Amino acid sequence: MILSKKSVVVLLVLVGLINLAPLPRKAKGERWNILLISIDTLRADYLGCYGGKRTTTPNIDRLAKEGVLFLRAMAQVPLTLPSHTSILTGTLPIYHGVRDNGIFRLKKRHTTIAEILRAKGYHTGAFVGAFPLDSQFGLDQGFEIYDDYYK
């Protein structure tokens, strides 16, 4: 897949959270490409961009250097599906209602960042690596491509 200025790829590997922060300005009319990578059970100190001494994450380190690196992020809930629901809706489990893996589904009345971005002309895609993020739980809302073939 080739990314254009109007493209956005949201890569959902497993769990993580990126909080919103002001982005550097771009020239008038230019739009940001957005890439969200979430990885289950990954400590920041294992990534070079966060001071890790191992040299096992050169690609993530390069993305952090060339893009925007968030220094403070926290999960709203320590479970894959509810955490990703919070990431994609910007709301807490008490509001979106997804409180555990495998038994809750995001209701269509909630808006995801993918829906907002598509309405603004972005292309959206998600590539999922585990059952808790299967499309049957509703996180595919707004994505043009939601590849949950992880079997």
Side-chain angles (χ1 to χ4, degrees):
M1 174 184 286
I2 297 174
L3 299 179
S4 70
K5 290 184 179 183
K6 284 188 155 189
S7 68
V8 60
V9 173
V10 178
L11 175 60
L12 301 175
V13 179
L14 284 178
V15 159
L17 176 66
I18 293 179
N19 288 330
L20 296 177
L23 294 173
R25 294 183 182 259
K26 290 196 92 149
K28 188 173 183 172
E30 285 191 56
R31 296 167 67 156
W32 288 95
N33 287 327
I34 301 167
L35 175 64
L36 169 64
I37 301 173
S38 63
I39 303 171
D40 196 10
T41 324
L42 175 65
R43 291 177 22 182
D45 63 345
Y46 276 63
L47 299 172
C49 58
Y50 287 108
K53 302 300 180 215
R54 295 178 172 95
T55 57
T56 58
T57 59
N59 294 322
I60 291 174
D61 298 343
R62 184 177 49 78
L63 280 170
K65 183 177 181 179
E66 295 174 9
V68 177
L69 176 66
F70 294 89
L71 299 177
R72 286 189 274 175
M74 62 186 73
Q76 299 305 313
V77 61
L79 296 165
T80 303
L81 178 61
S83 185
H84 278 84
T85 304
S86 290
I87 292 167
L88 296 177
T89 65
T91 62
L92 298 172
I94 195 160
Y95 178 78
H96 59 63
V98 178
R99 296 186 190 96
D100 203 348
N101 292 329
I103 57 175
F104 291 92
R105 177 178 171 74
L106 179 64
K107 293 183 170 76
K108 293 204 182 285
R109 72 173 185 259
H110 298 289
T111 304
T112 66
I113 188 69
E115 292 172 296
I116 293 167
L117 291 169
R118 271 191 82 182
K120 294 187 177 292
Y122 281 86
H123 295 287
T124 58
F127 304 89
V128 176
F131 176 73
L133 300 178
D134 193 281
S135 60
Q136 70 180 298
F137 303 118
L139 291 186
D140 59 338
Q141 287 180 209
F143 287 102
E144 292 172 70
I145 298 169
Y146 195 87
D147 183 344
D148 58 0
Y149 186 74
Y150 46 83
K151 299 162 182 94

